[in-house]
Amino acid sequence: MQEYVELGEELVFIAMGIASVVALAVFAERLIYYKKTLGKKNEDYLSEVRNSLQEEPEIHWKTDVGEESIYNRFIQFALKQLKLGRKGLDESLEGQILSEKLELEKRLPILNTLGNNAPFIGLLGTVLGVIKAFYGLGTLGSSGAEVVMRSISTALLATAAGLAVAIPVVMANNYFSRKAKVILQNLEILKKELLSYQMNKTKV
C-alpha cells in the first residue's frame, strides 16, 4: 500500500505542475486577446462611433484599431445590416453579440475548472501524505519520527501547492469575466443606439 500512496503523492504534484502550465498558457493567451480588444484606442473608437450616431447624418467612421478590435468588428458588421428592417437588424446584432460572447469567454472554463479543483487535488495530496506518515509511525515507531515529520511536511506542501495554483487562477478568471461583461454591456448599448439610428434614418 505504501508504494501506491507514494505514487499518488507524485501524481498529485505532477498534476499541480501541469495545471500551473495550462493556467499560465490560458492566462497569457487571454491577456493578449483582451489587450487587443480593450485599450485606449478601442475606447476612443467606441466613443467616436457613439458620438457619430448621435450627431452625424451619416455613418463614416475610419479607424486604425484593426480588425481584431471587437468594437470595429461589430460596427463593420452592423453597417452591412443597416438595410434590414428594425426587427431584422435587432436579431442580426443580437446574434453577433452572442458570437462575440463565445469568443470572449473562450477558454475561461479551463481557468474556472482549475481554480475550483486545484485545492481538492492539493487536499488529496495532504491525505495521502498523512496516510504515509501514520503508516511510517506504525511501522517504525518512535524511531521513525524523522520519516513521519517529513511525510507530514510533504502533505502540507501539497495543500499549499493547491492553494498557490487556485488563488491566482480564480483571480485571473474573475478579471477576464469582468472584462467580458463590460465589453458585452458596451455592445448592448451600441446595439440600442444603432437601432435608434436606423429607425431615425428610416423616418427621414
Side-chain angles (χ1 to χ4, degrees), residues 23-148:
L24 188 60
V26 172
F27 175 78
E29 187 275 334
R30 289 288 86 188
L31 187 63
I32 292 171
Y33 176 80
Y34 276 80
K35 285 276 186 185
K36 293 175 181 177
T37 302
L38 293 173
K40 193 172 187 319
K41 277 189 176 181
N42 289 283
E43 294 301 322
D44 290 344
Y45 175 63
L46 179 62
S47 298
E48 178 188 341
V49 169
R50 295 188 64 192
N51 290 334
S52 296
L53 280 170
Q54 296 169 10
E55 299 173 3
E56 299 294 332
E58 294 294 337
I59 301 177
H60 54 275
W61 305 299
K62 294 181 180 179
T63 178
D64 59 348
V65 294
E67 295 181 359
E68 293 177 331
S69 167
I70 192 170
Y71 298 135
N72 185 36
R73 275 202 311 271
F74 187 76
I75 288 301
Q76 298 308 317
F77 175 82
L79 285 172
K80 297 175 183 177
Q81 308 299 318
L82 283 177
K83 59 187 177 185
L84 301 175
R86 180 177 175 82
K87 183 178 179 181
L89 181 61
D90 189 3
E91 292 178 352
S92 181
L93 294 181
E94 188 63 32
Q96 184 66 12
I97 290 175
L98 290 175
S99 176
E100 296 294 353
K101 181 180 180 182
L102 289 175
E103 188 63 32
L104 287 168
E105 295 178 350
K106 189 177 181 180
R107 298 188 180 88
L108 291 187
I110 296 175
L111 294 180
N112 188 45
T113 300
L114 292 177
N116 288 334
N117 291 287
F120 294 108
I121 297 174
L123 183 60
L124 175 61
T126 299
V127 171
L128 292 174
V130 171
I131 291 172
K132 182 179 177 181
F134 278 108
Y135 182 85
L137 185 62
T139 304
L140 302 175
S142 58
S143 61
E146 184 180 342
V147 175
V148 172

